[in-house]
Amino acid sequence: QVQLQESGPGLVKPSQTLSLTCTVSGGSITTNYYYWNWIRQPPGKDLEWMGAIGYSGSTYYNPSLKSRTSISRDTSKNQFTLQLTSVTPEDTALYYCARGLSIETADYDSWGQGTQVTVSS
């Protein structure tokens, strides 16, 4: 059974870059035909899909965040990483990584436990 675990700083200052890593165990991030997603939930708001990296390494981004978001992977470590630049307090959220079965639908079969990120000076 695949397991995902987010890691990264819990506190980031405004204007800095947020970096989070998702470590995957029990399955390879290069296995056809999975997509590896970053999703966040600000306090009191709905889940927001941020972007994904596919089994082939292709990346996909939420248009509203695309200018600030970068997703990459390290296949040797079976990890994928989120970078969000120029953060503001509005980026404060619970950040999740999740495995998806399609890039076109919100169909996730495995989730990390989530990691809280607060943007504050």
Side-chain angles (χ1 to χ4, degrees):
Q1 181 178 351
V2 68
Q3 294 184 320
L4 297 85
Q5 178 67 59
E6 305 90 349
S7 60
L11 181 64
V12 183
K13 293 185 183 326
S15 81
Q16 290 188 341
T17 295
L18 164 66
S19 292
L20 295 175
T21 296
C22 183
T23 300
V24 179
S25 58
S28 171
I29 62 174
T30 62
T31 298
N32 297 346
Y33 295 95
Y34 290 110
Y35 298 86
W36 304 90
N37 298 266
W38 286 102
I39 300 159
R40 69 180 182 179
Q41 186 169 31
K45 297 185 179 181
D46 292 334
L47 291 169
E48 178 182 35
W49 177 76
M50 301 182 69
I53 187 163
Y55 56 95
S56 66
S58 297
T59 52
Y60 310 84
Y61 297 107
N62 184 326
S64 69
L65 296 170
K66 185 175 182 179
S67 64
R68 299 196 292 132
T69 307
S70 177
I71 298 174
S72 59
R73 68 180 185 175
D74 185 335
T75 56
S76 68
K77 296 181 180 179
N78 216 35
Q79 295 175 332
F80 62 105
T81 299
L82 169 73
Q83 288 198 317
L84 182 67
T85 62
S86 305
V87 297
T88 72
E90 291 187 347
D91 293 309
T92 294
L94 190 57
Y95 285 76
Y96 297 95
C97 55
R99 187 177 76 170
L101 304 175
S102 169
I103 199 58
E104 297 179 351
T105 61
D107 188 5
Y108 311 113
D109 66 349
S110 298
W111 292 74
Q113 65 183 19
T115 187
Q116 176 66 41
V117 176
T118 300
V119 179
S120 175
S121 56

